[in-house]
Amino acid sequence: MMFSIPYSQTGYFSKLMIDYLNQDARLSPLYNRFPTLENFKLQIQEKQQAFPLHHRKVLVQQLSKQYANSETSSATLQHIQQLGNTNTFTVVTGHQLNLFTGPLYFLYKIISTINLCKELKKTYPEYDFVPVYWMATEDHDFDEINYFNFNRKKCQWNKEVSGPVGRLNTDGLQAVFDEFKKHLPLGNNANELTLLFENAYLKHDNLADATRYLANELFKNQGLVIVDGDDTELKQLFIPSMKEELQNQSSFKEVEKSYDILKDYIIQVNPREINLFFIEHGLRERIVFEEDTFKVLNTDLQFTKDELLHLVDTNPEKFSPNVILRPLYQEVILPNLCYIGGGGELAYWLELKEVFTLHNTPFPMLLLRNSVLLATEKQNQKREKLNLSWEELFLKTDDFIQKKTKDFAQHVFDFEQQKQFLKDQFTALKEVTLQTNKSFIGAVNAQETKQIKGLENLEKRYFKAERLKNKEQLDRMLDLKIALFPNNSLQERIGNFSTLYVDYGQKMIDTLLENLHPLDQNYSIITL
């Protein structure tokens, strides 16, 4: 069973994302084409003309190497080989190397990507479309990825680390596995999860290989191709862009051009003067230009301009793009049409179009990933029994309690009407006061504040009494809301897929693949 509500009615999406989805004309200079099936034809033509055949050859060669030690499905192998053809294009999503996939929306990103490729193939059968998961192997924020939540229990990998996370060895994950296994119930689905975790993390030496195995096992039948950008040959294709950044520090100026349009929104990321890191094993630090010298922060490393540019030519793997340049790197090495991400990701992509223009690289379409609330049949039956709508459950907790309390109240007193009546009376009194004796205006204002405050206190006491009278029913409603919206947040941002996989197994993923439509601008509620 499936239900949906517009993103704008959920209360969980930013004004920027809602305006983007509504194709607000003010934002149009910040993107290339809005993602509709019709617009993909033009995007295909643009990318086809701009993407060199040499880049395809290097891409296929390096992907074959990255998959050399993996048990790869025939669908994925076919997709890798197809990437060498000029009529093949990608749809990409990216994500950090979160332990055991991290939040549920990891699945939604990839499924959105897979399903869009299927829709494009139906619409444009003369082309082939490959779903790609870009692993953020060069990120270095370990605290964001070192845990997952299973049934509200935090399974955490405690380890002292530094440098790009993809290169981290998997030492210490046996303890996480043992703790996770203790909480799993008996059953075939639990056994599958146990084997999946064990094979991914205890039989691979680094986090990149472990994550590739995990994502491949979950989606190999869909032909998902997983890319690791921490690759010397792939970075050779990016050398001109890295040199441009080091010599002219141009990204900073290009990103700033978006600020005039984005001034009424939250700026998602701010560029550095140099948007590259220096990386080696155990090290990923910013490159800065100080006193006519390029320096690597928190190290003794420093270079002249000529020395650093020579190092880019000879060892491009020592340079890592940050959040500003990573999207450009991705689009330089992939024949990509569309990037699929969450609201925060698309917000920073909308700052980058001029960077792509500077580097003569087509700007991809930007698509908001599918968002999903997964409910069990038992939870849905409880919702119906409690006479709750899905729209009500999306309300923030305080608003939810207030609304349901009002719904229960048999004798509703309209406090808002009374407050407005009081304000109108004092407005009239202040007009009289100003015409007679202005010295009393302070006393009138104080009395207005006092009476409004008194009415608000009465309102609180009234609703407290109503809540107590209907406590049992409200508690049942709150229990359901908390189960579906843990920590007063979206389920997809908190829970891990394993919590539901224990009960539903592969059916859970199959249901998502069957029901999610990536170009649909609605929040999906699916009953398993």
Side-chain angles (χ1 to χ4, degrees), residues 75-306:
T76 296
L77 287 173
Q78 181 182 2
H79 276 161
I80 291 173
Q81 293 307 311
Q82 284 177 332
L83 286 169
N85 302 331
T86 58
N87 69 332
T88 300
F89 300 91
T90 63
V91 174
V92 177
T93 193
H95 199 66
Q96 296 169 295
L97 306 191
N98 293 73
L99 189 61
F100 214 43
T101 76
L104 264 167
Y105 66 77
F106 172 85
L107 266 64
Y108 306 157
K109 280 184 166 185
I110 292 178
I111 289 169
S112 298
T113 305
I114 290 167
N115 283 352
L116 180 57
C117 286
K118 291 177 180 176
E119 286 195 34
L120 290 173
K121 184 62 177 175
K122 288 178 184 176
T123 307
Y124 302 104
E126 66 273 29
Y127 299 102
D128 292 313
F129 305 94
V130 175
V132 169
Y133 160 42
W134 178 286
M135 294 193 296
T137 53
E138 296 181 43
D139 282 3
H140 58 263
D141 198 336
F142 182 66
D143 290 340
E144 288 187 2
I145 68 166
N146 68 344
Y147 69 93
F148 65 97
N149 295 310
F150 174 72
N151 273 342
R152 301 177 184 268
K153 296 178 181 69
K154 190 173 186 178
C155 301
Q156 187 164 347
W157 182 17
N158 296 308
K159 182 183 176 83
E160 290 293 325
V161 304
S162 61
V165 295
R167 302 182 187 183
L168 294 178
N169 66 57
T170 50
D171 294 349
L173 281 170
Q174 179 71 52
V176 180
F177 173 68
D178 293 341
E179 183 65 21
F180 175 48
K181 194 174 178 181
K182 280 196 306 187
H183 298 301
L184 285 170
L186 298 175
N188 291 336
N189 294 335
N191 291 340
E192 284 182 29
L193 289 171
T194 300
L195 198 61
L196 187 60
F197 191 104
E198 185 176 13
N199 287 339
Y201 295 105
L202 306 187
K203 295 184 179 178
H204 290 88
D205 295 331
N206 61 63
L207 193 56
D209 288 345
T211 304
R212 182 187 296 106
Y213 174 87
L214 178 63
N216 184 60
E217 282 299 300
L218 291 172
F219 296 106
K220 60 186 176 184
N221 293 335
Q222 305 298 323
L224 180 69
V225 172
I226 302 159
V227 176
D228 182 356
D230 189 6
D231 183 293
T232 301
E233 281 72 21
L234 291 178
K235 283 192 176 173
Q236 285 179 348
L237 304 178
F238 197 52
I239 286 173
S241 298
M242 292 194 286
K243 283 186 169 181
E244 161 67 30
E245 181 70 9
L246 292 169
Q247 288 178 294
N248 300 316
Q249 301 170 23
S250 48
S251 298
F252 184 87
K253 292 169 280 195
E254 299 304 319
V255 169
E256 281 191 329
K257 293 177 181 178
S258 71
Y259 288 177
D260 187 52
I261 297 173
L262 292 170
K263 63 180 182 295
D264 295 328
Y265 305 98
I266 296 172
I267 301 295
Q268 192 70 18
V269 295
N270 292 294
R272 305 284 188 180
E273 290 185 358
I274 296 175
N275 293 282
L276 289 169
F277 288 93
F278 188 88
I279 63 170
E280 288 178 337
H281 189 69
L283 173 70
R284 187 177 189 245
E285 291 285 353
R286 283 176 50 212
I287 299 170
V288 297
F289 186 67
E290 297 174 350
E291 301 170 351
D292 294 326
T293 303
F294 289 92
K295 300 177 181 179
V296 179
L297 286 181
N298 301 314
T299 74
D300 295 327
L301 294 169
Q302 58 182 40
F303 307 90
T304 65
K305 179 180 177 181
D306 289 341

Side-chain angles (χ1 to χ4, degrees), residues 388-404:
L388 286 171
S389 69
W390 286 116
E391 288 86 352
E392 287 174 323
L393 284 165
F394 271 87
L395 294 171
K396 297 298 190 287
T397 300
D398 288 345
D399 295 334
F400 176 78
I401 294 172
Q402 189 86 338
K403 181 183 186 306
K404 297 317 295 181

